[in-house]
Amino acid sequence: MTKMKPVHIVGLPPGSLTPTGSAAAALAEADLVVGGKRLLAACPDSLIPAHAHRLAIAGSLAPVIETIRKAARKGRRVVVLADGDPLFFGIGKRLGEELGRENLLVDPSLSTVQLAAARLALPWQDMDFVSLHGRDDYAPLYAALVRADLIAVFTDAVNTPAEVARALLERGADCFSMTVLENLGAPDEQIRPLALWETWGMEFSPLNLVVLERQYPPEIPLSLGIPDHFYLHQKNLITKLPVRAAGLAHLGVAPDSTVWDLGAGCGSVSIEASHLARRGRVFAVERNKTRAAMIRENIRRTGAWLVDVVLGDMPEALHGLPEPDRIFIGGGLGGESNQDNALLDEACRRLRPRGRIVVHCILLDSLHTAKDHFQAQGWHFGVTQLQASATDSLAGDLRFKAQNPVFVLWAEKP
């Protein structure tokens, strides 16, 4: 195999984009210079040899990377320009994956986040980072809101600071303040602390970074085993704490799991599942408008911003949701009915291979319906019967009051 000449990735200072001494030295020996139009324009002709070819990155990266690969294999000197640190949400990661890290020479500059932290005098070792470049969902942002007190958000022309603010307000995450930093390092640098609602209709420079800072914690700390009375719920329409704990244990939610909670009630299972799926997604599907509103309020109280509430009848409401790794059905199946079979069919069909489904049943007919369904599918399954008793006041003392027995049925998709 032909040995590849190392590809030199050079980071230019954010804002000014003025090539440093090491960057100028690399450009002076280049045969091929690759970068975005703005970065190429920042490098005057006097720094680049006359024979060197300039290749602008526009559109798909695949053909650009192939050109870089071919040039490097022919022994040509390739310089790739980046903004700031090429390995921090930059082109360095992709080039390392495609060309091999051993074939890269990286010369970084200050990152935009470093400049932003310096301008705001913020220690940033515990900061979380989210890039919304080219994304059509805000799941990474919502996950960061749960786990971090300080978040840097990279925006784009669609996912603007105003859209970030709108997303937070829709989730009820008004406990975060926002600062928009525009054109960092340039003469027209601007730093604007803004209330979330103020951003509506505002114009921002395309070169901006959003910093979100938590101002106060959620009313209820997000954790496993939140007491039932902390949740806003209709009478008895809640998966009680002992059963909820057992169901989540059988579900085996991983940090990157996509979870469906079907018939979510007040959202207690969804909310506590989001504590486990901290890099994943959680969907609470509920057909009752009042209960869906309760889920949203419980999300606000606990800061479980990762949970998406889906209002609608099942299985129709499941169309368009991403394929799940874990499915919880806690609303109770009504026994042998076409609707129950249609829901189980859709859930089993959409569940990813090696995924797991947990069904909580109170009625024997519901248990048999679900068990027979999994048995017909040839899935490995099991059932745990759980009956818990909790203390209750009586005659100035305590007694144990029994809760309804629940069948916890779990099944794994081959």
Side-chain angles (χ1 to χ4, degrees):
M1 186 173 179
T2 305
K3 183 174 176 60
M4 183 181 294
K5 194 169 190 66
V7 174
H8 201 149
I9 311 177
V10 174
L12 301 180
S16 70
L17 300 180
T18 303
T20 61
S22 58
L27 288 168
E29 297 182 348
D31 298 308
L32 173 64
V33 181
V34 182
K37 293 179 180 178
R38 186 173 63 92
L39 299 175
L40 290 173
C43 298
D45 293 339
S46 60
L47 290 181
I48 301 175
H51 72 272
H53 176 63
R54 294 177 182 239
L55 176 60
I57 298 175
S60 173
L61 266 179
V64 174
I65 291 174
E66 189 56 32
T67 301
I68 293 172
R69 190 197 316 272
K70 288 178 179 178
R73 282 180 175 167
K74 291 178 180 177
R76 300 178 67 195
R77 294 183 178 88
V78 181
V79 175
V80 179
L81 301 174
D83 190 345
D85 186 342
L87 296 173
F88 190 79
F89 290 105
I91 196 172
K93 178 177 183 289
R94 178 72 181 274
L95 290 177
E97 293 168 348
E98 297 285 346
L99 306 178
R101 289 179 297 164
E102 68 278 8
N103 294 311
L104 302 182
L105 290 174
V106 182
D107 187 4
S109 180
L110 284 174
S111 70
T112 306
V113 169
Q114 284 177 288
L115 280 180
R119 297 293 190 268
L120 300 176
L122 280 174
W124 62 288
Q125 66 268 17
D126 296 322
M127 184 181 282
D128 214 326
F129 312 102
V130 174
S131 177
L132 298 179
H133 277 290
R135 293 196 67 96
D136 57 4
D137 72 83
Y138 279 22
L141 174 61
Y142 298 140
L145 294 176
V146 175
R147 64 179 179 253
D149 293 330
L150 196 60
I151 307 164
V153 185
F154 293 87
T155 64
D156 64 15
V158 175
N159 300 306
T160 63
E163 286 299 301
V164 172
R166 179 194 57 78
L168 266 64
L169 289 171
E170 283 187 353
R171 277 293 204 272
D174 53 4
C175 56
F176 283 87
S177 64
M178 170 183 278
T179 303
V180 182
L181 302 101
E182 301 167 86
N183 302 317
L184 279 170
D188 56 346
E189 176 179 298
Q190 184 173 210
I191 299 172
R192 290 191 275 179
L194 297 168
L196 298 178
W197 58 267
E198 282 184 294
T199 61
W200 182 256
M202 288 184 69
E203 296 290 332
F204 298 93
S205 165
L207 300 176
N208 71 73
L209 179 75
V210 171
V211 173
L212 302 173
E213 189 171 3
R214 191 188 300 272
Q215 297 302 307
Y216 52 87
E219 296 173 28
I220 302 167
L222 180 59
S223 65
L224 299 178
I226 295 173
D228 295 344
H229 64 274
F230 283 14
Y231 287 106
L232 182 66
H233 63 280
Q234 290 180 318
K235 188 175 181 181
N236 292 327
L237 288 177
I238 182 172
T239 302
K240 293 181 173 61
L241 193 158
V243 183
R244 185 163 72 242
L248 285 168
H250 281 296
L251 205 58
V253 178
D256 58 352
S257 291
T258 296
V259 182
W260 288 0
D261 178 9
L262 308 183
C266 72
S268 61
V269 171
S270 299
I271 286 168
E272 296 187 22
S274 75
H275 181 63
L276 300 170
R278 57 186 179 275
R279 295 192 305 271
R281 302 194 70 181
V282 179
F283 296 89
V285 185
E286 175 55 55
R287 68 180 181 180
N288 182 280
K289 290 182 179 179
T290 301
R291 291 196 286 271
M294 289 179 174
I295 298 173
R296 293 188 181 94
E297 174 59 15
N298 288 327
I299 289 170
R300 187 198 65 78
R301 289 180 176 186
T302 58
W305 317 118
L306 190 63
V307 180
D308 280 288
V309 182
V310 179
L311 177 64
D313 292 317
M314 296 182 289
E316 294 78 15
L318 307 179
H319 300 162
L321 297 186
E323 308 287 287
D325 305 289
R326 302 288 187 267
I327 298 177
F328 178 79
I329 303 178
L333 298 174
E336 286 287 353
S337 75
N338 290 334
Q339 185 176 0
D340 293 332
N341 289 330
L343 175 58
L344 286 170
D345 280 337
E346 181 70 1
C348 291
R349 182 181 71 83
R350 298 284 302 279
L351 186 66
R352 287 175 178 161
R354 301 183 68 183
R356 181 171 277 227
I357 185 169
V358 170
V359 184
H360 282 186
C361 305
I362 296 176
L363 305 176
L364 285 175
D365 280 350
S366 302
L367 174 64
H368 286 299
T369 295
K371 178 186 72 68
D372 293 346
H373 195 91
F374 297 133
Q375 201 163 28
Q377 299 274 339
W379 289 17
H380 180 53
F381 69 91
V383 183
T384 298
Q385 187 195 39
L386 182 67
Q387 182 169 15
S389 297
T391 54
D392 188 31
S393 298
L394 179 67
D397 203 346
L398 295 176
R399 65 162 183 147
F400 281 98
K401 183 178 181 181
Q403 298 175 353
N404 283 333
V406 177
F407 299 101
V408 181
L409 170 61
W410 59 267
E412 291 181 343
K413 186 170 185 176

